[in-house]
Amino acid sequence: MKKIRILIITLITIVSAQAQTKVGDATLPNTIKFNGENLIINGAGLREKLFFDIYAGGLYLKQKNNKAAVAELDETMAVKVHILSGMMTRKKMASALRSGFIKSTNNNTALLQDRIEKFIGFVSEEIEVGQVFDMVYEKGKGSVLYKNGVEKGFVEGLDFKKALFNIWLGNDPVDKGLKNEMLGN
């Protein structure tokens, strides 16, 4: 009987470990659910700056896809950002998002500017190590920001979604290594 218990505990541990992806000091789930749709981790990596791990980022899709053009699709998907460093403050995240939108749109933010500021406004509280932000495009709703699983707000428009996801997946991403890791390359 004791051997059976040990075997069961071992199997549960193995299955639990396989349901997560370790990225630096963060553990990202292999599956998440938004908008009633199951998403699987496509790839994950670290955003590093000056030898510091700033955050772990994961791309979640309905099915695996290693093409950056996935950012253009009108389907539910998510980028999960797990904060690993106190260097990431609310002010720095706002600045990074603004810069990311400029790069992802080739400096053509005029039509998106009000929505960009609205989205950035959802990051209204100071950021702490260990917090998790989910930037989710929910088909039929828009781009939603969740902080630790709580919805902070959303912005409508497929054009906005494309610009948001191209911060990580576009031609001039925030981090080329992270882009490749998110795409599973």
Side-chain angles (χ1 to χ4, degrees), residues 24-25 46-49 51-56 83-86:
D25 289 337
L46 292 171
R47 171 70 171 116
E48 301 168 309
K49 204 163 196 171
F51 308 107
F52 292 100
D53 295 343
I54 305 301
Y55 63 81
I83 305 299
L84 298 173
S85 171

Side-chain angles (χ1 to χ4, degrees), residues 26-34 41 43-45 55-60 77-83 131-136 146 148-149 165 168 178 182:
T27 302
L28 303 179
N30 285 347
T31 60
I32 57 177
K33 189 172 187 171
F34 287 103
I41 194 163
Y55 63 81
L59 175 64
Y60 291 82
M77 61 183 66
V79 168
K80 183 176 286 290
V81 173
H82 184 119
I83 305 299
Q131 291 180 330
V132 177
F133 292 85
D134 290 295
M135 289 162 242
V136 183
Y146 292 90
N148 296 329
F165 279 77
W168 292 275
L178 179 58
M182 286 181 155

Side-chain angles (χ1 to χ4, degrees), residues 20-40:
Q20 300 176 340
T21 298
K22 186 86 169 139
V23 183
D25 289 337
T27 302
L28 303 179
N30 285 347
T31 60
I32 57 177
K33 189 172 187 171
F34 287 103
N35 200 30
E37 297 183 63
N38 292 317
L39 303 177
I40 58 171

